[in-house]
Amino acid sequence: MQIIWRDSDPNPAISSTYEAARTRGIFNKRHPPKYPLAIIKASCQEDVISAVQLAITHNARIAVRAGGHSFPVWSLQDDAVLIDLGEWRECVVDAPKGIASVTPGVTSKEVNEALVSQGLMFPAGHCGDVGLGGFLLQGGMGWNCANWGWACERVDAVEVVTAQGEKLLCNAEQNAELYWAARGAGPTFPGVVTRFHLRVLPYYSAGFRSSGYIYPARLYRPVFSWVLSMIPDLDRDTEVTAVSQFVSGELCFSIFLVCMKETSAQAAAALQPLHETRPPGALREWFCKEDSLENLYREKTKSNPLDHRWCSDNTYLEDKHDVADILEEGFLTLPSPDSYAFWCPITPTSKRKLPDMAFSMQSDYYFAVYAGWKDEADDERCQSWLQLVMDRIRPYGVGAYIGESDYSKRPDRYWADDNESRLKEVCWRWDPDSRFCGFP
């Protein structure tokens, strides 16, 4: 186990070794000036147990990092022991049983690289560098979530180190409270998950196809109306996303479809109705193009550069509202060329009763903004824009996705009321000393 202590000097950033460990894997360059007491680079479950015991000895709180992709950078907490799981990456696939066992530091791209070669996939995050630890704990809005459900629903069991340093296997039959919490608690989970056991899906390369329609922003209304009208009849293996972003310097409003069928003919049949009814005026379009998870991860990396400063916010909306009107400002007034906003339906998943798990906040539509920029001088302008826009949208929302929120600064409704109360009880029972940096 490698321990990197904070320098006793009042300016801990002077230690290059410490600073490199403090910021390892952090996606957002606008990270907070917070300095853990010690950073543990864990490479096995025993390292995690030792790290928890170290925190108890020093009466310190514990923060955990898997991939480091959170926009508010939850893993940085003053005077805490930071357990960094990001370099401990193990992925074991049992193809006949359809199970993958992964450590939290394994990324979305890595788990699917291991699975696709065996004709399998997992509905992991859309950004390839997202660590599965944070992604699954917060619910997991993964590939085709609207139809296939939340990724955390496919977690069969978790291995956990508790606040007392005890290792447990948690599933529906044993330590069920922690299993319940591990599917949706997000950063409030009262322990360290050291391994997830996942149920995977078949992957059909022949039927993996995409369509795209990139329109000038002035066609926002007719294009959005078209997509909304097509949602009720959308194929269940097809994911649709509306995105506003700058393309070659011009603000565009685009519709992207990813279809995951068994054959190319099935994919073409699923995508054909949208292609035939699309509004005219696209700047660029493609229909039923041969695609892959590998290529989509590559394209997503271009939209989320690592050398940028970011802030994000989101909301769930019900279909009873005129979402095109409510979201117009958020879509069409982006504060910088590297910012983007996106919308996707969560139906029919949102219409069914969720399994008994902590995750419980969803609605018909989801909207999020990722504001990105490079110059620190733009911090205030971009953050103020995001707050103003979301303040106008939020009254129509029913809650937010904790994975793209800064709950310590901008509280929202992340769980159903009963689930939030139950989650707090679970946290108090399993972590009575508030050892973990969970609820603010």
Side-chain angles (χ1 to χ4, degrees):
M1 179 179 71
Q2 183 181 5
I3 306 176
I4 302 168
W5 292 96
R6 183 180 63 197
D7 196 341
S8 59
D9 189 283
N11 179 15
I14 62 171
S15 167
S16 59
T17 300
Y18 174 89
E19 184 63 4
R22 188 181 77 95
T23 59
R24 189 220 60 82
I26 290 179
F27 163 74
N28 190 355
K29 293 303 179 186
R30 191 184 61 82
H31 46 72
K34 294 184 177 181
Y35 299 91
L37 172 68
I39 301 165
I40 312 298
K41 290 189 174 183
S43 58
C44 61
Q45 192 175 52
E46 287 67 30
D47 286 351
V48 175
I49 293 171
S50 297
V52 170
Q53 293 170 342
L54 181 74
I56 293 172
T57 299
H58 289 268
N59 194 27
R61 302 190 76 193
I62 297 170
V64 185
R65 176 185 299 159
H69 209 280
S70 74
F71 287 94
V73 194
W74 292 318
S75 61
L76 289 184
Q77 301 291 334
D78 279 330
D79 301 320
V81 170
L82 168 57
I83 303 176
D84 190 341
L85 306 171
E87 295 179 356
W88 175 27
R89 298 180 181 180
E90 295 178 8
C91 178
V92 179
V93 179
D94 186 334
K97 292 183 178 180
I99 296 291
S101 298
V102 300
T103 54
V106 172
T107 67
S108 297
K109 182 174 181 287
E110 288 168 343
V111 70
N112 276 312
E113 284 176 339
L115 290 168
V116 166
S117 63
Q118 302 186 57
L120 301 167
M121 69 169 288
F122 184 74
H126 292 72
C127 293
D129 57 341
V130 167
L132 291 178
F135 172 76
L136 290 168
L137 280 171
Q138 63 206 15
M141 188 181 294
W143 294 107
N144 202 25
C145 174
N147 296 293
W148 294 348
W150 300 89
C152 68
E153 297 180 60
R154 306 192 69 82
V155 175
D156 277 353
V158 290
E159 296 175 31
V160 173
V161 173
T162 69
Q164 295 74 40
E166 181 183 8
K167 56 183 178 181
L168 300 173
L169 177 66
C170 309
N171 54 33
E173 287 75 40
Q174 52 189 322
N175 304 305
E177 271 194 339
L178 287 177
Y179 174 60
W180 177 89
R183 293 169 298 150
T188 71
F189 184 72
V192 184
V193 176
T194 57
R195 195 174 298 270
F196 295 89
H197 299 274
L198 312 173
R199 280 178 288 115
V200 300
L201 293 164
Y203 178 85
Y204 304 110
S205 57
F208 200 108
R209 302 292 170 125
S210 69
S211 292
Y213 306 92
I214 300 175
Y215 291 90
R218 60 181 173 79
L219 295 179
Y220 166 81
R221 287 282 181 162
V223 173
F224 209 165
S225 296
W226 160 61
V227 171
L228 286 167
S229 71
M230 300 300 291
I231 293 302
D233 300 317
L234 191 68
D235 175 80
R236 293 298 178 88
D237 295 314
T238 301
E239 174 184 279
V240 58
T241 310
V243 180
S244 70
Q245 61 189 149
F246 286 90
V247 180
S248 300
E250 179 179 359
L251 182 62
C252 296
F253 185 68
S254 307
I255 305 301
F256 299 110
L257 300 128
V258 177
C259 190
M260 293 166 273
K261 305 295 281 187
E262 190 168 350
T263 68
S264 59
Q266 290 173 341
L271 295 170
Q272 189 68 39
L274 290 103
H275 188 68
E276 291 177 347
T277 57
R278 70 197 186 283
L283 299 171
R284 180 186 168 214
E285 63 179 48
W286 60 92
F287 168 70
C288 202
K289 179 184 73 174
E290 185 176 351
D291 218 325
S292 65
L293 280 176
E294 180 183 8
N295 181 61
L296 293 177
Y297 281 134
R298 188 184 305 116
E299 291 300 313
K300 197 67 175 176
T301 298
K302 296 176 183 177
S303 300
N304 295 270
L306 295 175
D307 60 348
H308 279 49
R309 305 171 73 80
W310 297 92
C311 62
S312 72
D313 208 343
N314 71 91
T315 192
Y316 291 112
L317 297 161
E318 295 178 301
D319 60 9
K320 66 181 181 181
H321 297 301
D322 182 351
V323 293
D325 183 62
I326 293 168
L327 302 179
E328 184 169 3
E329 182 181 15
F331 268 127
L332 302 185
T333 65
L334 298 175
S336 64
D338 294 311
S339 299
Y340 65 98
F342 68 93
W343 165 95
C344 59
I346 307 295
T347 55
T349 286
S350 64
K351 302 297 186 184
R352 64 175 173 80
K353 183 179 180 181
L354 288 168
D356 184 24
M357 57 186 183
F359 184 86
S360 48
M361 179 50 57
Q362 61 177 7
S363 189
D364 303 309
Y365 304 133
Y366 179 75
F367 174 74
V369 179
Y370 291 1
W373 63 99
K374 293 191 75 170
D375 191 343
E376 186 176 353
D378 289 329
D379 282 11
E380 178 60 30
R381 179 180 62 83
C382 292
Q383 292 178 84
S384 296
W385 173 88
L386 181 62
Q387 180 170 339
L388 177 65
V389 165
M390 293 306 297
D391 279 347
R392 292 171 177 164
I393 294 173
R394 200 173 302 277
Y396 301 97
V398 297
Y401 181 54
I402 196 169
E404 291 166 350
S405 306
D406 188 349
Y407 71 94
S408 64
K409 293 183 178 178
R410 193 177 178 88
D412 208 320
R413 189 166 179 251
Y414 304 112
W415 305 276
D417 293 343
D418 289 346
N419 287 55
E420 181 173 358
S421 297
R422 181 178 172 186
L423 179 57
K424 288 180 177 178
E425 290 175 1
V426 171
C427 290
W428 291 331
R429 188 152 43 246
W430 287 92
D431 184 16
D433 297 323
S434 296
R435 184 70 58 196
F436 288 95
C437 299
F439 283 99

